[in-house]
Amino acid sequence: MTVGKTPTKGVGRRRAVPWALLGLWVAVLALVGPFAAKLADVQHDRATDYLPSSADSTQVARIQDALPGGESTEMVIVYHRDGGLSAEDRRVAAGQVGKVAAAHELVGGAPEGIPSDDGTTLMYPVVSNEPGHDEKLRDALVEDVRGIARGQDGLSVEVGGTGALGTDAGKVYDSLGGPLLYTTVAVVALLLILIYRSPVLWLVPLVVAGIADYLSMGVAYGLNQAFGTTVTGQSSGVMTILVFGAGTDYALLLVSRYREELRRIERPYEAMVAALRGCGPAVLASSGTVAAGLLCLLAADLNSSRGMGPLGTVGVLCALIAMLTLLPAVLVLLGRRVFWPLVPAYGSEPAQRRSLFAAMGDSAGRRPLTVLATGAVLLGALALGTLNLPGPVKQEDSFVTKPESVTAMETLARAYPERGTQPIDVITPADRVDRTLATIRGTRGVESAEKGRTADGWAEVSVIAKDTPQSAGETATIKSLRSQLKGSYVGGDSAEQIDLEDTNSRDIKIVVPLVLVSVLLILFVLLRSLVAPLVLVAAVVAVWGAALGIGGLVFGPVLGLKGTDPGLGLLSFVFLVALGVDYGIFLMHRMREESLAGAEPAAAALTALRSTGAVIASAGLVLAATFAVLMNMGLVQLVELGFVIAVGVLLDTFLVRTYLVTSASVALRRKMWWPGGLSREPARGAGPSEPTEPPRQPEQVGTP
């Protein structure tokens, strides 16, 4: 009787576990659902959400929030006619500005127009405290002013300034929600259909990734409420990219191993358990590497970078949990038929054919040192392209397609070539405002300075520089003001750009070593070697340099971008090192399995490449494609980040991992695993140093 009950219990367990996991996920989604819907409410893209926390410009923005009326909205209404403004044009301009002043509460009332020397342009500086720091009210104010100030009969009217620029940037960030998600889903779906060649299988990991994304939104909202984690359009968009990119990678690896086990094991439940045991450690280690690398961003002083660390980590971990619990449960419940028409029958052998990766492995195995030297020279040559990277991107060049606020600034720059058109904000103690004004007016490069609001012991001074915004002359003026005005803070748009560049330089010096150390420590533990982790990290650092170099060759000459985002170097390094090591982990983990099974080092390396080549190539294509989606967004910083990471992932997938890491493994042989047990020659007649199951024949079907 007892013997007869054992299989029944086993069958019951096999049926109960997947259903229990599904029920658990339903409960979790019901719990986090209300919070996920609120993430957009706590997403902000104000200056203080991106600025370094310790910088002058951050202090200015924070104190301005507390001044009467909160954060002011500054605009410039620009009237222009190529042949010169007529008296009627000036009358129309004055009338429209009067309507703006009547409809809204402006600081100082209706402003006076400032004509250009050539008579073609008239600008009206407009400042309002109505919106405070409410972005929706600010956007409504800007759009209302644009509705009142309209051109006619050859007279062009544009609304620019800080407030209008913020509104136009907000439109781009708002588009990151729906369009980014839909485009990412479409790209991943297309690639999965091509990879799996099944009408059903592709849908399973895609739906699971969507559920993981929903979970990550709820967790991200919880972090914001509990710890005040900064949520910006950039960080939430990258979180979605990571969920679909990394999550699909984990799914590809698991499904590939599951297909392999289904040929050896009759029941799907047992086959899935074996698949999880086989690839689970590599998936856990790879996700841990990405999470550890991203969490190093918490050491950054730049708010946008520091906030991206936790959100990116949430995305990766939610994807990991979903792919190791929900995906296996769904696949087991659907059974073998989910693979139709390429169903892996029990006891069958995979189609044996010479794969592309077998050919690559053979070429790397025959001349490993030659391959290594050639690859190193190629990556080094590509890295030289970093010398061609354009300088820091100016605010007006940060949009792919120029909005009205940018064209207004360009019109002002042409019409007022020797005059600053963008205020420099100075916050000074109220009891010394007169002395501060005198010092400012005596500073070289200052055109004018006027006292503004006062409250809570602080006074605001608006400064106009003689030089154009973000020029070398204006930068020198800002630095002079900061050096002379001790106890005061100097901010504004141009000062913010200076602080962004300075803080990114500081963050790189701190975060980069932290990322390298954390990744190496994880690899030391996983691979039980000192040499293999150093090889993998050196490889991905070389990839980062080469990808940035390709960016230098493409950004200006091909894409027409006029500047480089100051945060590109740091963010691309963190993502490429953390994500690039993923593929090295997948390869080296399989290589270690083969070595423990008794294979010689060279044979283990080539077998690992043949076994994992197709699935990791598919994973690399998916990850590169998801980051490439960022190139379709409207901000230069997203275009550049998406390009560099996508190119870096492709370089890592098809050059570094395939040729260089494999060649290094063949050349170093057992030294690759020093000082672990695999680095020692086994005694004659002795088996492998650690027990393991017999080696499998790798699938050569070419699909994960």
Side-chain angles (χ1 to χ4, degrees), residues 598-637:
E600 287 298 312
L606 299 179
T607 300
L609 179 60
R610 289 194 296 269
S611 302
T612 64
V615 64
I616 298 180
S618 301
L621 285 172
V622 169
L623 189 63
T626 53
F627 271 98
V629 170
L630 291 175
M631 295 181 64
N632 196 41
M633 300 298 107
L635 290 175
V636 166
Q637 64 187 44

Side-chain angles (χ1 to χ4, degrees), residues 56 70 72 78 81 87 117 130 194 231 248 268 371 451 461 467 550:
D56 263 29
S72 63
V78 183
R81 186 184 290 274
D117 291 340
E130 281 183 359
L194 295 175
V231 180
T248 304
V371 171
K451 179 182 175 181
V461 178
D467 298 284
I550 294 175

Side-chain angles (χ1 to χ4, degrees), residues 532-559:
L534 291 174
V535 170
L536 289 181
V537 170
V540 293
V541 171
V543 164
W544 170 68
L548 272 181
I550 294 175
L553 301 175
V554 170
F555 289 163
V558 178
L559 300 181

Side-chain angles (χ1 to χ4, degrees), residues 35-51:
F35 302 107
K38 296 180 179 180
L39 183 63
D41 297 336
V42 298
Q43 175 182 312
H44 297 288
D45 295 290
R46 297 173 299 171
T48 51
D49 298 313
Y50 284 82
L51 290 174

Side-chain angles (χ1 to χ4, degrees), residues 78-91 93 114-116 118-124 154-156 416:
V78 183
Y79 292 87
H80 175 82
R81 186 184 290 274
D82 288 337
L85 295 170
S86 64
E88 176 63 16
D89 292 337
R90 298 177 188 277
R91 187 192 65 78
I114 303 173
S116 63
D118 61 7
T120 63
T121 308
L122 188 63
M123 72 169 179
Y124 287 86
L155 174 67
S156 68
Y416 304 85

Side-chain angles (χ1 to χ4, degrees), residues 424-501:
I424 301 169
D425 299 323
V426 176
I427 297 293
T428 189
D431 58 2
R432 65 168 93 160
V433 64
D434 292 334
R435 281 180 290 165
T436 300
L437 273 170
T439 302
I440 292 173
R441 288 166 178 164
T443 301
R444 183 177 180 181
V446 171
E447 175 75 21
S448 63
E450 300 295 335
K451 179 182 175 181
R453 294 170 293 167
T454 302
D456 297 329
W458 295 100
E460 182 183 40
V461 178
S462 182
V463 181
I464 297 295
K466 293 180 179 179
D467 298 284
T468 56
Q470 298 182 37
S471 63
E474 190 201 39
T475 298
T477 300
I478 292 173
K479 291 183 177 180
S480 295
L481 289 173
R482 284 180 169 175
S483 66
Q484 296 181 57
L485 300 176
K486 302 302 181 183
S488 301
Y489 301 109
V490 180
D493 293 341
S494 297
E496 290 168 8
Q497 291 300 112
I498 296 173
D499 290 336
L500 286 173
E501 296 167 27

